[in-house]
Coordinates of all heavy atoms in Angstrom, one line a residue:
E20 N 39.4 37.5 -80.6 CA 39.3 38.6 -79.7 C 38.9 39.9 -80.5 O 38.0 40.6 -79.9 CB 40.7 38.9 -79.1 CG 41.0 37.8 -78.0 CD 42.4 38.1 -77.4 OE1 42.8 39.3 -77.3 OE2 43.1 37.2 -77.1
A21 N 39.3 40.1 -81.6 CA 38.9 41.3 -82.4 C 37.4 41.2 -82.7 O 36.7 42.2 -82.7 CB 39.8 41.4 -83.7
M22 N 36.9 40.1 -83.1 CA 35.5 39.9 -83.4 C 34.7 40.1 -82.1 O 33.7 40.8 -82.2 CB 35.3 38.6 -84.0 CG 35.8 38.5 -85.5 SD 35.6 36.8 -86.2 CE 33.9 36.8 -86.5
K23 N 35.1 39.5 -81.0 CA 34.4 39.7 -79.8 C 34.3 41.1 -79.4 O 33.3 41.6 -78.9 CB 35.0 38.8 -78.7 CG 34.7 37.3 -78.8 CD 35.2 36.6 -77.7 CE 35.0 35.1 -77.8 NZ 35.6 34.3 -76.7
A24 N 35.4 41.8 -79.5 CA 35.5 43.2 -79.2 C 34.8 44.1 -80.2 O 34.8 45.4 -80.0 CB 36.9 43.6 -79.0
R25 N 34.3 43.5 -81.3 CA 33.7 44.3 -82.4 C 34.6 45.3 -83.0 O 34.2 46.5 -83.3 CB 32.4 44.9 -82.0 CG 31.3 43.8 -81.6 CD 30.0 44.4 -81.4 NE 29.0 43.5 -80.8 CZ 28.4 42.5 -81.4 NH1 28.6 42.3 -82.7 NH2 27.5 41.8 -80.8
N26 N 35.9 45.0 -83.0 CA 36.9 45.8 -83.6 C 37.0 45.6 -85.1 O 37.6 44.7 -85.6 CB 38.3 45.6 -82.9 CG 39.3 46.5 -83.4 OD1 39.3 47.1 -84.5 ND2 40.4 46.7 -82.6
A27 N 36.2 46.4 -85.8 CA 36.1 46.2 -87.3 C 37.4 46.4 -88.0 O 37.7 45.6 -89.0 CB 35.1 47.2 -87.9
I28 N 38.3 47.3 -87.6 CA 39.6 47.5 -88.2 C 40.4 46.2 -88.1 O 41.0 45.7 -89.0 CB 40.2 48.7 -87.7 CG1 39.5 50.0 -88.2 CG2 41.7 48.8 -88.2 CD1 39.9 51.3 -87.6
A29 N 40.6 45.7 -86.8 CA 41.4 44.6 -86.6 C 40.8 43.3 -87.3 O 41.6 42.5 -87.9 CB 41.6 44.3 -85.1
T30 N 39.5 43.2 -87.2 CA 38.9 42.0 -87.8 C 39.1 42.0 -89.3 O 39.5 41.0 -89.9 CB 37.4 42.0 -87.5 OG1 37.2 41.9 -86.1 CG2 36.7 40.8 -88.1
G31 N 38.9 43.2 -89.9 CA 39.1 43.3 -91.4 C 40.5 43.0 -91.8 O 40.8 42.3 -92.8
L32 N 41.5 43.5 -91.0 CA 42.9 43.3 -91.3 C 43.2 41.9 -91.2 O 43.9 41.3 -92.0 CB 43.8 44.2 -90.4 CG 45.3 43.9 -90.6 CD1 45.7 44.3 -92.0 CD2 46.1 44.7 -89.5
L33 N 42.8 41.2 -90.1 CA 43.1 39.8 -89.9 C 42.5 38.9 -90.9 O 43.2 38.0 -91.4 CB 42.7 39.4 -88.5 CG 43.5 40.0 -87.3 CD1 42.8 39.8 -86.0 CD2 44.9 39.5 -87.3
R34 N 41.3 39.2 -91.3 CA 40.7 38.4 -92.4 C 41.5 38.6 -93.7 O 41.7 37.6 -94.4 CB 39.3 38.8 -92.6 CG 38.4 38.3 -91.6 CD 36.9 38.7 -91.9 NE 36.1 38.1 -90.9 CZ 34.9 38.5 -90.5 NH1 34.4 39.6 -91.1 NH2 34.1 37.8 -89.7
R35 N 42.0 39.8 -94.0 CA 42.8 40.1 -95.2 C 44.1 39.3 -95.1 O 44.6 38.8 -96.1 CB 43.0 41.6 -95.4 CG 43.1 41.9 -96.9 CD 42.9 43.4 -97.2 NE 43.9 44.2 -96.6 CZ 43.6 45.2 -95.8 NH1 42.4 45.5 -95.4 NH2 44.6 46.0 -95.3
L36 N 44.7 39.3 -93.9 CA 46.0 38.6 -93.8 C 45.8 37.1 -93.9 O 46.7 36.5 -94.5 CB 46.6 38.9 -92.4 CG 47.1 40.4 -92.2 CD1 47.6 40.6 -90.8 CD2 48.1 40.8 -93.3
I37 N 44.7 36.6 -93.4 CA 44.4 35.1 -93.6 C 44.3 34.8 -95.1 O 44.9 33.8 -95.6 CB 43.2 34.7 -92.8 CG1 43.5 34.7 -91.3 CG2 42.7 33.3 -93.2 CD1 42.3 34.6 -90.4
A38 N 43.6 35.7 -95.8 CA 43.4 35.4 -97.3 C 44.8 35.6 -98.0 O 45.1 34.8 -98.9 CB 42.4 36.4 -97.8
L39 N 45.6 36.5 -97.5 CA 46.9 36.7 -98.1 C 47.8 35.5 -98.0 O 48.4 35.0 -98.9 CB 47.6 37.9 -97.5 CG 48.8 38.5 -98.1 CD1 48.5 39.2 -99.4 CD2 49.4 39.6 -97.1
I40 N 47.7 34.9 -96.7 CA 48.5 33.7 -96.5 C 48.0 32.5 -97.3 O 48.7 31.8 -97.9 CB 48.4 33.3 -95.0 CG1 49.2 34.4 -94.2 CG2 49.0 31.9 -94.7 CD1 49.0 34.3 -92.6
D41 N 46.6 32.4 -97.3 CA 46.0 31.3 -98.1 C 46.4 31.4 -99.6 O 46.8 30.4 -100.2 CB 44.5 31.4 -98.0 CG 43.8 30.1 -98.4 OD1 44.3 29.0 -98.1 OD2 42.7 30.2 -99.0
N42 N 46.4 32.6 -100.1 CA 46.8 32.8 -101.5 C 48.3 32.5 -101.7 O 48.7 31.9 -102.7 CB 46.5 34.2 -102.0 CG 45.0 34.4 -102.2 OD1 44.3 33.5 -102.4 ND2 44.6 35.7 -102.2
A43 N 49.1 32.9 -100.8 CA 50.6 32.6 -100.9 C 50.9 31.1 -100.8 O 51.9 30.7 -101.4 CB 51.4 33.4 -99.8
E44 N 50.1 30.4 -100.1 CA 50.3 28.9 -100.0 C 49.8 28.1 -101.2 O 50.2 27.0 -101.3 CB 49.6 28.4 -98.7 CG 50.2 28.9 -97.4 CD 49.4 28.4 -96.2 OE1 48.2 28.2 -96.3 OE2 50.0 28.3 -95.1
A45 N 49.1 28.8 -102.0 CA 48.5 28.1 -103.2 C 49.7 27.7 -104.2 O 50.7 28.4 -104.3 CB 47.6 29.0 -103.9
V46 N 49.5 26.6 -104.8 CA 50.5 26.1 -105.8 C 49.9 26.2 -107.2 O 48.7 26.1 -107.4 CB 50.9 24.7 -105.5 CG1 51.6 24.6 -104.2 CG2 49.8 23.7 -105.6
T47 N 50.7 26.3 -108.2 CA 50.3 26.3 -109.6 C 50.0 24.9 -110.0 O 50.8 24.0 -109.8 CB 51.3 26.9 -110.5 OG1 51.6 28.2 -110.0 CG2 50.9 27.0 -111.9
L48 N 48.8 24.7 -110.6 CA 48.5 23.3 -111.0 C 49.0 23.0 -112.3 O 49.2 23.9 -113.2 CB 46.9 23.2 -111.1 CG 46.2 23.4 -109.8 CD1 44.7 23.3 -110.0 CD2 46.6 22.3 -108.8
T49 N 49.4 21.8 -112.6 CA 49.8 21.3 -113.9 C 48.6 21.2 -114.7 O 47.5 21.1 -114.2 CB 50.6 20.0 -113.8 OG1 49.6 19.0 -113.2 CG2 51.7 20.0 -112.9
P50 N 48.8 21.2 -116.0 CA 47.6 21.1 -116.9 C 46.7 19.9 -116.7 O 45.5 20.0 -116.7 CB 48.2 21.0 -118.3 CG 49.5 21.7 -118.2 CD 50.0 21.4 -116.8
D51 N 47.2 18.7 -116.3 CA 46.4 17.6 -116.0 C 45.6 17.8 -114.7 O 44.5 17.3 -114.5 CB 47.2 16.3 -116.0 CG 48.3 16.3 -114.9 OD1 49.0 17.3 -114.8 OD2 48.4 15.2 -114.3
Q52 N 46.2 18.5 -113.7 CA 45.5 18.8 -112.5 C 44.4 19.8 -112.7 O 43.4 19.8 -112.0 CB 46.4 19.3 -111.4 CG 47.4 18.3 -110.9 CD 48.5 18.9 -110.1 OE1 49.0 19.9 -110.4 NE2 48.7 18.2 -108.9
A53 N 44.6 20.7 -113.7 CA 43.6 21.8 -113.9 C 42.7 21.5 -115.1 O 42.0 22.4 -115.6 CB 44.4 23.1 -114.1
A54 N 42.6 20.3 -115.5 CA 41.8 19.9 -116.7 C 40.3 20.2 -116.4 O 39.8 19.9 -115.4 CB 42.0 18.4 -117.0
P55 N 39.7 20.9 -117.4 CA 38.2 21.2 -117.2 C 37.4 20.0 -117.2 O 37.8 18.9 -117.7 CB 37.9 22.1 -118.4 CG 39.0 21.7 -119.4 CD 40.2 21.3 -118.7
V56 N 36.3 20.1 -116.5 CA 35.3 18.9 -116.4 C 34.1 19.3 -117.2 O 33.6 20.5 -117.1 CB 35.0 18.7 -114.9 CG1 33.9 17.6 -114.8 CG2 36.2 18.3 -114.1
D57 N 33.6 18.4 -118.0 CA 32.4 18.6 -118.8 C 31.2 18.5 -117.8 O 30.8 17.5 -117.3 CB 32.3 17.7 -119.9 CG 31.0 17.8 -120.7 OD1 30.4 18.9 -120.6 OD2 30.6 16.9 -121.5
L58 N 30.5 19.7 -117.6 CA 29.4 19.7 -116.7 C 28.1 19.9 -117.5 O 27.0 20.2 -116.9 CB 29.5 20.8 -115.7 CG 30.7 20.7 -114.7 CD1 30.8 21.8 -113.8 CD2 30.7 19.4 -113.9
S59 N 28.1 19.6 -118.8 CA 26.9 19.8 -119.6 C 25.8 19.0 -119.2 O 24.6 19.3 -119.5 CB 27.3 19.6 -121.1 OG 27.7 18.3 -121.3
A60 N 26.0 17.9 -118.6 CA 24.9 17.0 -118.1 C 24.2 17.6 -116.9 O 23.2 17.0 -116.4 CB 25.3 15.6 -117.9
G61 N 24.7 18.7 -116.3 CA 24.1 19.3 -115.2 C 24.6 18.7 -113.9 O 24.1 19.1 -112.8
A62 N 25.6 17.8 -113.9 CA 26.1 17.2 -112.7 C 27.1 18.1 -112.1 O 27.7 18.9 -112.8 CB 26.7 15.8 -112.9
S63 N 27.3 18.0 -110.8 CA 28.4 18.8 -110.2 C 29.8 18.2 -110.6 O 29.8 17.1 -111.1 CB 28.4 18.7 -108.6 OG 28.8 17.5 -108.2
E64 N 30.8 19.0 -110.5 CA 32.1 18.5 -110.9 C 32.5 17.3 -110.1 O 33.3 16.4 -110.6 CB 33.2 19.6 -110.9 CG 33.9 19.8 -109.6 CD 34.9 20.9 -109.7 OE1 34.6 22.0 -109.9 OE2 36.1 20.6 -109.5
W65 N 32.1 17.1 -108.8 CA 32.4 16.0 -108.0 C 31.8 14.7 -108.6 O 32.4 13.7 -108.7 CB 32.0 16.2 -106.6 CG 32.8 17.4 -106.0 CD1 32.3 18.6 -105.7 CD2 34.1 17.4 -105.7 NE1 33.2 19.4 -105.2 CE2 34.4 18.7 -105.2 CE3 35.2 16.5 -105.8 CZ2 35.7 19.1 -104.8 CZ3 36.5 16.9 -105.4 CH2 36.7 18.2 -104.9
V66 N 30.5 14.8 -109.0 CA 29.8 13.7 -109.6 C 30.4 13.4 -110.9 O 30.6 12.2 -111.3 CB 28.3 14.0 -109.7 CG1 27.6 12.8 -110.3 CG2 27.7 14.2 -108.3
A67 N 30.7 14.4 -111.7 CA 31.2 14.2 -113.1 C 32.5 13.5 -113.1 O 32.8 12.7 -114.0 CB 31.2 15.5 -113.8
T68 N 33.4 13.8 -112.1 CA 34.7 13.2 -112.1 C 34.8 11.9 -111.3 O 35.7 11.2 -111.4 CB 35.7 14.1 -111.5 OG1 35.3 14.4 -110.1 CG2 35.8 15.4 -112.2
G69 N 33.7 11.6 -110.6 CA 33.7 10.4 -109.7 C 34.6 10.6 -108.5 O 34.9 9.7 -107.8
A70 N 35.0 11.8 -108.3 CA 36.0 12.1 -107.2 C 35.2 12.4 -105.9 O 34.0 12.7 -105.9 CB 36.8 13.3 -107.5
S71 N 35.8 12.2 -104.8 CA 35.2 12.5 -103.5 C 35.7 13.9 -103.1 O 36.7 14.4 -103.7 CB 35.5 11.5 -102.5 OG 36.9 11.5 -102.3
F72 N 35.0 14.5 -102.2 CA 35.4 15.8 -101.7 C 36.9 15.8 -101.2 O 37.3 14.9 -100.5 CB 34.5 16.4 -100.6 CG 33.2 16.7 -101.1 CD1 32.1 15.9 -101.0 CD2 33.0 17.9 -101.8 CE1 30.8 16.3 -101.5 CE2 31.8 18.3 -102.4 CZ 30.7 17.4 -102.2
G73 N 37.7 16.8 -101.7 CA 39.1 16.8 -101.2 C 40.0 16.0 -102.1 O 41.2 16.2 -102.0
A74 N 39.5 15.3 -103.1 CA 40.3 14.4 -103.9 C 41.2 15.3 -104.9 O 42.2 14.8 -105.4 CB 39.5 13.4 -104.7
A75 N 40.7 16.5 -105.2 CA 41.4 17.4 -106.1 C 42.5 18.2 -105.4 O 43.2 19.0 -106.0 CB 40.5 18.3 -106.8
E76 N 42.6 18.0 -104.1 CA 43.6 18.9 -103.3 C 45.0 18.4 -103.7 O 45.3 17.3 -103.9 CB 43.3 18.7 -101.8 CG 42.1 19.3 -101.3 CD 42.1 20.8 -101.3 OE1 43.2 21.4 -101.0 OE2 41.2 21.4 -101.7
V77 N 45.9 19.4 -103.7 CA 47.3 19.2 -103.9 C 48.0 19.8 -102.7 O 47.5 20.7 -102.1 CB 47.8 19.8 -105.2 CG1 47.2 19.2 -106.4 CG2 47.6 21.3 -105.2
P78 N 49.2 19.3 -102.4 CA 49.8 19.9 -101.2 C 50.1 21.4 -101.4 O 50.5 21.8 -102.5 CB 51.2 19.1 -101.2 CG 50.9 17.8 -101.9 CD 49.9 18.2 -103.0
R79 N 49.9 22.1 -100.3 CA 50.1 23.6 -100.4 C 51.6 23.9 -100.1 O 52.3 23.1 -99.4 CB 49.2 24.3 -99.5 CG 47.7 23.9 -100.0 CD 46.6 24.6 -99.1 NE 46.7 26.1 -99.2 CZ 46.2 26.8 -100.2 NH1 45.7 26.3 -101.3 NH2 46.2 28.1 -100.1
K80 N 52.0 25.1 -100.5 CA 53.4 25.5 -100.1 C 53.4 25.7 -98.6 O 52.4 26.1 -98.0 CB 53.7 26.9 -100.8 CG 53.8 26.8 -102.2 CD 54.1 28.2 -102.8 CE 54.0 28.2 -104.3 NZ 54.1 29.5 -104.9
V81 N 54.5 25.5 -98.0 CA 54.7 25.7 -96.6 C 55.5 27.0 -96.4 O 56.6 27.1 -97.0 CB 55.5 24.6 -95.9 CG1 55.8 24.9 -94.4 CG2 54.7 23.3 -96.0
L82 N 55.0 28.0 -95.8 CA 55.6 29.3 -95.7 C 56.4 29.3 -94.4 O 56.0 28.9 -93.4 CB 54.6 30.4 -95.6 CG 53.7 30.6 -96.8 CD1 52.6 31.7 -96.7 CD2 54.4 30.8 -98.1
T83 N 57.6 29.9 -94.5 CA 58.4 30.1 -93.3 C 58.1 31.4 -92.6 O 57.3 32.2 -93.1 CB 59.9 30.1 -93.7 OG1 60.1 31.3 -94.5 CG2 60.3 28.9 -94.5
G84 N 58.6 31.6 -91.4 CA 58.5 32.9 -90.7 C 58.9 34.0 -91.6 O 58.3 35.1 -91.6
A85 N 60.0 33.8 -92.3 CA 60.6 34.9 -93.1 C 59.7 35.2 -94.3 O 59.5 36.4 -94.7 CB 62.0 34.5 -93.6
D86 N 59.0 34.1 -94.8 CA 58.1 34.3 -95.9 C 56.9 35.2 -95.4 O 56.5 36.1 -96.1 CB 57.5 33.0 -96.4 CG 58.6 32.1 -97.1 OD1 59.5 32.7 -97.6 OD2 58.4 30.9 -97.1
L87 N 56.4 34.8 -94.2 CA 55.3 35.6 -93.7 C 55.6 37.0 -93.4 O 54.9 37.9 -93.7 CB 54.8 34.9 -92.4 CG 54.1 33.5 -92.6 CD1 53.8 32.9 -91.3 CD2 52.8 33.7 -93.4
T88 N 56.8 37.2 -92.8 CA 57.3 38.6 -92.6 C 57.4 39.4 -93.8 O 56.9 40.5 -93.9 CB 58.6 38.6 -91.8 OG1 58.5 37.9 -90.6 CG2 59.2 40.0 -91.6
A89 N 57.9 38.8 -94.9 CA 58.0 39.5 -96.2 C 56.6 39.8 -96.7 O 56.4 40.9 -97.3 CB 58.9 38.7 -97.2
L90 N 55.7 38.9 -96.6 CA 54.4 39.0 -97.1 C 53.7 40.2 -96.4 O 53.0 41.0 -97.0 CB 53.6 37.7 -96.9 CG 52.4 37.4 -97.7 CD1 52.7 37.4 -99.2 CD2 51.8 36.1 -97.2
F91 N 53.8 40.2 -95.0 CA 53.2 41.2 -94.2 C 53.8 42.6 -94.5 O 53.1 43.6 -94.5 CB 53.2 40.9 -92.8 CG 52.4 39.7 -92.4 CD1 52.5 39.1 -91.1 CD2 51.5 39.1 -93.3 CE1 51.7 38.0 -90.7 CE2 50.7 38.0 -92.9 CZ 50.8 37.5 -91.7
R92 N 55.1 42.6 -94.7 CA 55.8 43.9 -95.0 C 55.3 44.5 -96.4 O 55.0 45.7 -96.5 CB 57.3 43.8 -95.0 CG 57.8 43.6 -93.6 CD 59.4 43.7 -93.6 NE 60.0 43.2 -92.4 CZ 59.9 43.9 -91.2 NH1 59.4 45.0 -91.1 NH2 60.5 43.3 -90.1
M93 N 55.1 43.6 -97.3 CA 54.5 44.1 -98.6 C 53.1 44.6 -98.4 O 52.7 45.6 -99.0 CB 54.5 42.9 -99.6 CG 55.9 42.6 -100.2 SD 55.9 41.5 -101.6 CE 54.7 40.3 -101.3
E94 N 52.3 43.9 -97.6 CA 51.0 44.3 -97.3 C 51.0 45.7 -96.6 O 50.2 46.6 -96.9 CB 50.2 43.3 -96.5 CG 48.7 43.6 -96.4 CD 47.9 43.6 -97.7 OE1 48.4 43.1 -98.7 OE2 46.8 44.1 -97.6
A95 N 51.9 45.8 -95.7 CA 52.0 47.1 -95.0 C 52.3 48.3 -95.9 O 51.8 49.4 -95.8 CB 53.1 47.0 -93.8
S96 N 53.2 48.0 -96.9 CA 53.5 49.0 -97.9 C 52.3 49.4 -98.7 O 52.0 50.5 -99.0 CB 54.6 48.5 -98.8 OG 55.8 48.4 -98.1
K97 N 51.5 48.4 -99.1 CA 50.3 48.6 -99.9 C 49.3 49.4 -99.0 O 48.6 50.3 -99.6 CB 49.6 47.3 -100.3 CG 50.4 46.5 -101.3 CD 49.8 45.2 -101.7 CE 50.6 44.4 -102.7 NZ 50.0 43.1 -102.9
I98 N 49.2 49.1 -97.8 CA 48.2 49.9 -96.9 C 48.7 51.3 -96.8 O 47.9 52.2 -96.8 CB 48.1 49.2 -95.5 CG1 47.4 47.8 -95.7 CG2 47.4 50.1 -94.6 CD1 47.5 47.0 -94.4
A99 N 50.0 51.5 -96.6 CA 50.5 52.9 -96.5 C 50.3 53.7 -97.8 O 49.9 54.8 -97.7 CB 52.0 52.9 -96.2
A100 N 50.4 53.0 -98.9 CA 50.2 53.7 -100.2 C 48.7 54.0 -100.3 O 48.3 55.0 -100.9 CB 50.7 52.8 -101.3
A101 N 47.8 53.1 -99.9 CA 46.4 53.3 -99.9 C 46.0 54.5 -99.1 O 45.2 55.3 -99.5 CB 45.7 52.1 -99.5
A102 N 46.6 54.6 -97.9 CA 46.3 55.7 -97.0 C 46.7 57.0 -97.7 O 46.0 58.0 -97.6 CB 47.1 55.5 -95.7
A103 N 47.9 57.0 -98.3 CA 48.4 58.3 -99.0 C 47.4 58.6 -100.1 O 47.1 59.8 -100.3 CB 49.8 58.1 -99.5
E104 N 47.0 57.6 -100.9 CA 46.1 57.9 -102.0 C 44.7 58.4 -101.5 O 44.1 59.2 -102.1 CB 45.9 56.6 -102.8 CG 44.9 56.7 -104.0 CD 45.5 57.7 -105.0 OE1 46.7 58.1 -105.1 OE2 44.6 58.0 -105.9
M105 N 44.2 57.8 -100.4 CA 42.9 58.3 -99.8 C 43.1 59.7 -99.4 O 42.2 60.5 -99.5 CB 42.5 57.4 -98.7 CG 42.1 56.0 -99.0 SD 40.7 56.0 -100.2 CE 41.5 55.3 -101.6
D106 N 44.2 60.1 -98.8 CA 44.4 61.5 -98.4 C 44.4 62.4 -99.7 O 43.8 63.4 -99.7 CB 45.8 61.6 -97.7 CG 45.7 61.3 -96.2 OD1 44.6 61.5 -95.6 OD2 46.7 60.9 -95.7
R107 N 45.1 61.9 -100.7 CA 45.3 62.7 -101.9 C 43.9 63.0 -102.6 O 43.7 64.0 -103.1 CB 46.2 61.9 -102.9 CG 46.5 62.8 -104.2 CD 47.3 62.0 -105.2 NE 46.5 61.0 -105.9 CZ 45.7 61.2 -106.8 NH1 45.4 62.5 -107.2 NH2 45.0 60.3 -107.4
V108 N 43.0 62.0 -102.5 CA 41.7 62.2 -103.2 C 40.6 62.7 -102.3 O 39.4 62.7 -102.6 CB 41.2 60.9 -103.9 CG1 42.2 60.4 -105.0 CG2 41.0 59.7 -102.9
G109 N 41.0 63.1 -101.1 CA 40.1 63.8 -100.2 C 39.2 62.8 -99.4 O 38.0 63.1 -99.2
R110 N 39.7 61.7 -99.0 CA 38.9 60.7 -98.3 C 39.6 60.5 -96.9 O 40.2 59.4 -96.7 CB 38.8 59.4 -99.0 CG 37.9 59.6 -100.3 CD 37.9 58.3 -101.0 NE 36.6 58.1 -101.6 CZ 36.4 57.1 -102.4 NH1 37.3 56.3 -102.8 NH2 35.1 56.9 -102.9
P111 N 39.6 61.4 -96.0 CA 40.3 61.4 -94.8 C 39.8 60.2 -93.9 O 40.7 59.6 -93.2 CB 40.1 62.7 -94.1 CG 38.9 63.3 -94.8 CD 38.8 62.7 -96.1
D112 N 38.5 59.9 -93.9 CA 38.0 58.8 -93.1 C 38.7 57.4 -93.5 O 39.1 56.7 -92.6 CB 36.5 58.7 -93.1 CG 35.9 59.9 -92.5 OD1 36.5 60.7 -91.8 OD2 34.6 60.1 -92.7
E113 N 38.7 57.2 -94.8 CA 39.3 56.0 -95.3 C 40.8 56.0 -95.1 O 41.4 54.9 -94.8 CB 38.9 55.8 -96.8 CG 37.5 55.5 -97.0 CD 37.1 55.3 -98.4 OE1 37.9 54.7 -99.2 OE2 36.0 55.8 -98.8
A114 N 41.4 57.1 -95.2 CA 42.9 57.2 -94.9 C 43.1 56.9 -93.5 O 44.1 56.2 -93.1 CB 43.4 58.6 -95.3
A115 N 42.3 57.3 -92.6 CA 42.5 57.1 -91.1 C 42.3 55.6 -90.8 O 43.1 55.0 -90.0 CB 41.5 57.9 -90.3
V116 N 41.4 54.9 -91.5 CA 41.2 53.4 -91.3 C 42.5 52.7 -91.8 O 43.0 51.8 -91.2 CB 40.0 52.9 -92.1 CG1 40.0 51.4 -92.1 CG2 38.7 53.5 -91.4
A117 N 43.0 53.1 -93.0 CA 44.2 52.5 -93.5 C 45.4 52.7 -92.6 O 46.2 51.8 -92.4 CB 44.5 53.0 -94.9
R118 N 45.5 53.9 -92.0 CA 46.6 54.2 -91.1 C 46.5 53.4 -89.8 O 47.4 52.9 -89.3 CB 46.7 55.7 -90.8 CG 47.5 56.5 -91.8 CD 47.8 57.9 -91.3 NE 46.6 58.7 -91.3 CZ 46.0 59.3 -92.3 NH1 46.5 59.2 -93.5 NH2 44.9 60.0 -92.1
A119 N 45.2 53.1 -89.3 CA 45.0 52.3 -88.2 C 45.4 50.8 -88.5 O 46.0 50.2 -87.7 CB 43.6 52.4 -87.7
E120 N 45.1 50.4 -89.7 CA 45.5 49.0 -90.1 C 47.0 48.9 -90.2 O 47.6 47.9 -89.7 CB 44.9 48.7 -91.5 CG 43.4 48.5 -91.5 CD 42.9 48.1 -92.8 OE1 43.5 48.5 -93.9 OE2 41.8 47.6 -92.9
A121 N 47.6 49.9 -90.7 CA 49.1 50.0 -90.8 C 49.7 49.9 -89.4 O 50.7 49.2 -89.2 CB 49.5 51.2 -91.6
A122 N 49.2 50.6 -88.5 CA 49.7 50.6 -87.2 C 49.5 49.3 -86.5 O 50.5 48.8 -85.8 CB 49.0 51.7 -86.3
L123 N 48.4 48.7 -86.7 CA 48.1 47.3 -86.1 C 49.1 46.3 -86.7 O 49.7 45.5 -86.0 CB 46.7 47.0 -86.4 CG 46.2 45.7 -85.8 CD1 46.3 45.7 -84.3 CD2 44.7 45.5 -86.2
L124 N 49.3 46.4 -88.1 CA 50.2 45.4 -88.7 C 51.6 45.7 -88.3 O 52.3 44.7 -88.1 CB 50.0 45.6 -90.2 CG 50.8 44.6 -91.1 CD1 50.6 43.2 -90.7 CD2 50.4 44.8 -92.6
A125 N 52.0 46.9 -88.1 CA 53.4 47.2 -87.6 C 53.6 46.5 -86.2 O 54.7 46.1 -85.9 CB 53.6 48.7 -87.5
G126 N 52.5 46.5 -85.4 CA 52.6 45.9 -84.1 C 52.8 44.4 -84.2 O 53.6 43.8 -83.5
Y127 N 52.2 43.8 -85.2 CA 52.4 42.4 -85.5 C 53.8 42.1 -85.9 O 54.4 41.0 -85.6 CB 51.4 41.8 -86.5 CG 49.9 41.8 -86.1 CD1 49.0 42.0 -87.0 CD2 49.6 41.6 -84.7 CE1 47.6 42.0 -86.6 CE2 48.3 41.6 -84.4 CZ 47.3 41.8 -85.3 OH 46.0 41.8 -84.9
L128 N 54.4 43.0 -86.7 CA 55.7 42.8 -87.2 C 56.8 43.1 -86.2 O 58.0 42.7 -86.5 CB 55.9 43.7 -88.5 CG 55.1 43.2 -89.7 CD1 55.1 44.3 -90.8 CD2 55.6 41.9 -90.2
A129 N 56.5 43.8 -85.2 CA 57.5 44.2 -84.2 C 58.0 43.0 -83.4 O 57.4 42.0 -83.2 CB 56.9 45.2 -83.2

């Protein structure tokens, strides 16, 4: 809906929240899972390992509603701090965008 309405503030915030969730769901790989692949022969890592697409995937963390709420509250704090900083350095337009994002995010948290 935000994209169809060409609402740049909402679209940007939603994309950032999706990335935030995606990063929070990531798991730390063990050394054997993160082993480097020798690509000196010019092959892609998929060809070099003999793996098929998706074979390197590991199960991701499952976030609860409480996890998401905490994540979004932290992001809201960061946005508020960014707005204050933009005001401090004389960038009122950017501060207004940050405040609009904070208001939108507060609505999601309500």
Side-chain angles (χ1 to χ4, degrees):
E20 288 180 30
M22 289 175 72
K23 285 183 181 179
R25 298 192 189 281
N26 184 336
I28 292 172
T30 300
L32 175 65
L33 291 169
R34 284 182 174 157
R35 211 164 64 237
L36 293 177
I37 289 168
L39 192 68
I40 292 167
D41 196 38
N42 288 339
E44 289 175 334
V46 296
T47 304
L48 297 178
T49 61
D51 61 317
Q52 291 171 315
V56 175
D57 179 16
L58 300 177
S59 60
S63 77
E64 85 179 66
W65 297 107
V66 174
T68 61
S71 61
F72 288 102
E76 289 290 319
V77 294
R79 299 182 63 78
K80 293 178 188 173
V81 177
L82 302 178
T83 65
D86 294 333
L87 291 173
T88 298
L90 200 60
F91 291 171
R92 287 190 194 285
M93 285 191 321
E94 187 65 14
S96 294
K97 290 178 185 177
I98 293 170
E104 180 64 15
M105 291 300 116
D106 278 332
R107 188 185 73 73
V108 297
R110 295 176 139 171
D112 293 345
E113 292 179 37
V116 169
R118 278 192 289 280
E120 288 179 340
L123 185 59
L124 185 51
Y127 294 146
L128 289 169

